[in-house]
Amino acid sequence: MSPASRYTYLGPEGTFTEAALRTLPEAATRELVPMVSVPAALDAVRTGEAAAALVPIENSVEGGVTATLDELASGEPLMIYREVLLPISFALLVRPGTQLTSVKTVTGHPVAQPQVRNWLAARLPEAVWESAASNADGARLVQEGRYDAAFAGEFAAGPYGLEALVTDIHDAENATTRFVLAGRPARPAAPTGADKTSVVMWLREDHPGALLELLQEYASRGVSMMRIESRPTGEGIGRYCFSVDCEGHVADRRVGDVLMGLKRACQRVRFLGSYPRADEVWPTLAPGTTDEEFVAAADWLNRCMDGRA
Amino acid sequence: MSPASRYTYLGPEGTFTEAALRTLPEAATRELVPMVSVPAALDAVRTGEAAAALVPIENSVEGGVTATLDELASGEPLMIYREVLLPISFALLVRPGTQLTSVKTVTGHPVAQPQVRNWLAARLPEAVWESAASNADGARLVQEGRYDAAFAGEFAAGPYGLEALVTDIHDAENATTRFVLAGRPARPAAPTGADKTSVVMWLREDHPGALLELLQEYASRGVSMMRIESRPTGEGIGRYCFSVDCEGHVADRRVGDVLMGLKRACQRVRFLGSYPRADEVWPTLAPGTTDEEFVAAADWLNRCMDGRA
Amino acid sequence: MSPASRYTYLGPEGTFTEAALRTLPEAATRELVPMVSVPAALDAVRTGEAAAALVPIENSVEGGVTATLDELASGEPLMIYREVLLPISFALLVRPGTQLTSVKTVTGHPVAQPQVRNWLAARLPEAVWESAASNADGARLVQEGRYDAAFAGEFAAGPYGLEALVTDIHDAENATTRFVLAGRPARPAAPTGADKTSVVMWLREDHPGALLELLQEYASRGVSMMRIESRPTGEGIGRYCFSVDCEGHVADRRVGDVLMGLKRACQRVRFLGSYPRADEVWPTLAPGTTDEEFVAAADWLNRCMDGRA
Amino acid sequence: MSPASRYTYLGPEGTFTEAALRTLPEAATRELVPMVSVPAALDAVRTGEAAAALVPIENSVEGGVTATLDELASGEPLMIYREVLLPISFALLVRPGTQLTSVKTVTGHPVAQPQVRNWLAARLPEAVWESAASNADGARLVQEGRYDAAFAGEFAAGPYGLEALVTDIHDAENATTRFVLAGRPARPAAPTGADKTSVVMWLREDHPGALLELLQEYASRGVSMMRIESRPTGEGIGRYCFSVDCEGHVADRRVGDVLMGLKRACQRVRFLGSYPRADEVWPTLAPGTTDEEFVAAADWLNRCMDGRA
């Protein structure tokens, strides 16, 4: 297949990222290529070897995926085309025939551990945990006999000849991972009415209240912030940039106005895209923030300048 | 002369308003018509009998001239073309030959009284004050022998055959009155770099913090407010509109952006014009608020929407 | 009677101010003394000749009464003990037997004119208006035969031997005047739950956004501003102080916290008192702003400082 | 030694955390115990087995250390007693006699990789990287002959019989890690004038602008925020708490006032301590925010309530 029909993702096969990718309708007609790391998955897009890459960006238990946040903030620009929300629950995968009582060693990705810790303490208090490079890698190690059981997505059982002894394991209710499909900069998809817009901002100067001013750019147009994450710029302790998602689409006047405000107020802003919200929730617009009201205000300003207001 | 070359002003002749009007170069070629009241002066403009009217709008001792503020806020729209600042100091006008020691009764406009009160207490503690309808009217009453002396502008002595016994009387240092030349809505004069923009705003709803939000529209674009005055809307105690002057011209992008923000946030906004500042002070622009930065932000937004940011 | 039982008010007798004063229960047992001006009424309190003075402070049609605002803001401190709201409607007072058709000249206080202008235009379009020093004075001039009719409170008919030919005249619905009873500084009356607190503030420096910061002191504690009025400080155009009423009592923690914030943020603050709201409306407190929550936060801070949080 | 004289730290021996701990004067008289993880180091404090634990909290290249942030935000309360800043630069450790040209395989903690990536690309472009569990562990693996070289602190060479072939390797200038010494809640150390205060906050409700309001609590008292980090609460995507450092000490009135404001505004606040700033920078106090001004404002409020203002 051509690069245009190739999607990379954070591999290996059998991980939640692959499961998330397969929820996208177009995945059925693409070549899906697992990569060893988030930077590798995204670099394949930058070099033109793939059309897009699916990578995790935040987890409701573990927080932001810093590799993804940092890759999107620096280097050759990329843009978010889509987001995918995947509820995360684990299955305990074992070689066929294994009984729960005979599980002495368990493995899984380090990120999985805090999400199954309580379950382990209650059901397998004696089991020894050792981390694997990925949940799928843990499954492979169980297949090879290195461990008795692995925590992974239930979908990883088949590829590795294992069976799911227990399913739906998750300490936190609503554990969810959010993934983004990132590609090269392009005209954003048309607004759906339930959209999200992502940017990275570097404050102009390190003055008290600079962050406050940026948040006011959103608040003054009634645009809700949905995520804010500070990341070091690499220039020393105390120097941060901010990765922010808000509701709305760059083509919505209120959002475009926020972006122009940020552009003027910040040392630098990187636009990361406008894309449909996976939760399909439509925002409630505050008075004075509809497209019609923005257009009416611009018209009125023109009339003022013409002496016809 | 035709109405197009007629300027009305708050009369009668010999008042500070006339003196202020005569500081305008074009006054030399206009027919200057005194009117009995601010509404009368402005109504002559509305009906087309005059091209513009000069009326006082605020005094550094007495505050806002409510008749002017209310006339500009309601009725057929008018626009401020110019402002004039006039230092206010009084002369004590007497019939020729009168000695200070023989002054037993004094008169003047009620607004003059607090501005000469200390002087009177120190120099003419026994003198009895009675108010006149205007400073000029006071001069006339002295001419007619009704009072011994009148407080008025020194320029009022000649027309009434009086002499200025004492000049430069003013309790407050820097006492100044600000006048505006108001005409029918027209394309504002071109920006000079040192401009002022006036509006009247009615808050959308009487919620706590509504005024705060309006002030933030100014602050977030680095536009300084120079005057704010609340006026009752006439709908009951607690219902106000706000008359606000800020630095800058409607054609300055930062000011235009503020105005559009106000238009969206307010129930109603009336644009009262952009005109040169009488003090000719140029503003210091905050970072991110120059026209260039506004244009650059709009360009960047377009590139974002095109996938070229 | 002793000064302790004497109340002054803005006279003369028969004005709305006297009517407002008589709505106070204690007025029945006080000597009520009309004074020629607001400063005179308040100075009698300052010098100890009276216990308190009732003066108008704002009118829903005409706005703030600047003499009162300025007297409270400067000179020997005074404090507001009470407020009174009086609906304002006028009666047309005539000598007994006068017919409406024979009314050719009318009088009244200048403030009354805009409140009866429409009525006059509709019912007595030919009548000539001349201003009187007060509404009551107008009644007296009608009694003396100088004018055919006076606009005044209906209650002014009797004292001047006139009759009310028409009553309930008011161009604006809900025309109301607010009066305050001012005395020497004293411990404020106990909170009623529906209170109001008044201050005058001078901004620390004339920096853009200074007013915004003051309003944020209120907003951040959920305290609603009910009136804001700018007044010149007398130091030149562009120099203002702000007279502000808010809901709540100085003894309410949220209000006390606002006042301390203002005290720190301002060059100067003058506390003008906490007193019952005439409209008896109780505020809806925002989350986090009850007295209990203020006390709990202070307790928690103490525990933090003790290592017990 | 008794638990009272025992400090745990994120081990193993030979890591930057140990080097940071040894910069504290009191470390010389404490038993220093390496632990396998941040939770293990902090749990030893919670259970009373150790007096305090030194753990990394943020890195100027990698960002916040989520294990530390999350452990401080949940579970039995802990308090930060001290912070330590350690410049991070790596040495390339090899078995004695190894030449740079013969280095084919390198190892180190995954966090080290992005900090030496450019150096590797320039100097050892062919070398294969494999991650180790810690920098010290990498040194051990080189000692055992599994890899040719390890990136670690220069101080790790001795313990493992290695030599530092290259020192001072760091892609980013000013790469620094910040560590905190955490113990059980106690009365904070006395203010030094250059202090820092840390809290974790949970917003009361997920309303637009809630974060903005919290930042205003800081800004309105002129207290600079030095770090803000959002962390998921574990209740689903979009639910965050905020970990914030600001300048100043809980005993500074401006900071205490901010904390009380946060306490009232937030659903929950956890105080994490006030401690000396490692950079020893004294803040510049904004007008109105000194202890004296806070005390004066409180005195004034008392006088207002007493009728003596």
Side-chain angles (χ1 to χ4, degrees), chain A residues 58 60-63 172-174 176 208 211-212 215-216 219 224 226-228 230-232 234-237 240 242, chain D residues 58 60-63 172-174 176 208 211-212 215-216 219 224 226-228 230-232 234-237 240 242:
Chain A
E58 66 170 323
S60 66
V61 175
E62 289 300 297
E173 287 301 315
N174 308 320
T176 303
L211 177 59
L212 187 73
L215 301 198
Q216 270 166 340
S224 300
M226 308 190 68
R227 183 184 60 84
I228 179 168
S230 61
R231 291 295 305 152
E235 290 157 9
I237 289 283
Y240 306 99
F242 292 89
Chain D
E58 66 170 323
S60 66
V61 175
E62 289 300 298
E173 287 302 314
N174 308 319
T176 303
L211 176 60
L212 186 74
L215 302 197
Q216 269 165 340
S224 300
M226 309 189 69
R227 182 183 61 83
I228 179 169
S230 62
R231 292 295 304 150
E235 292 157 7
I237 289 285
Y240 306 99
F242 292 90

Side-chain angles (χ1 to χ4, degrees), chain C residues 133-201:
Chain C
S134 71
N135 288 316
D137 213 46
R140 188 179 53 76
L141 293 169
V142 172
Q143 184 183 32
E144 294 175 2
R146 292 267 297 274
Y147 300 102
D148 298 329
F151 287 98
E154 192 175 352
F155 46 76
Y160 295 99
L162 303 179
E163 64 178 35
L165 191 58
V166 185
T167 59
D168 205 24
I169 302 171
H170 52 271
D171 283 5
E173 287 302 313
N174 307 319
T176 302
T177 295
R178 185 176 158 238
F179 301 84
V180 292
L181 183 72
R184 280 182 298 278
R187 186 183 295 263
T192 65
D195 304 287
K196 205 181 263 192
T197 293
S198 300
V199 297
V200 188
M201 306 181 271

Side-chain angles (χ1 to χ4, degrees), chain A residues 164-178:
Chain A
L165 190 60
V166 185
T167 60
D168 205 24
I169 302 171
H170 51 269
D171 284 6
E173 287 301 315
N174 308 320
T176 303
T177 295
R178 185 176 157 237

Side-chain angles (χ1 to χ4, degrees), chain C residues 202-218:
Chain C
W202 287 259
L203 305 188
R204 175 166 276 139
E205 44 183 326
D206 197 27
H207 76 269
L211 177 60
L212 186 73
E213 286 167 22
L214 296 191
L215 301 197
Q216 270 166 339
E217 300 283 347
Y218 288 91

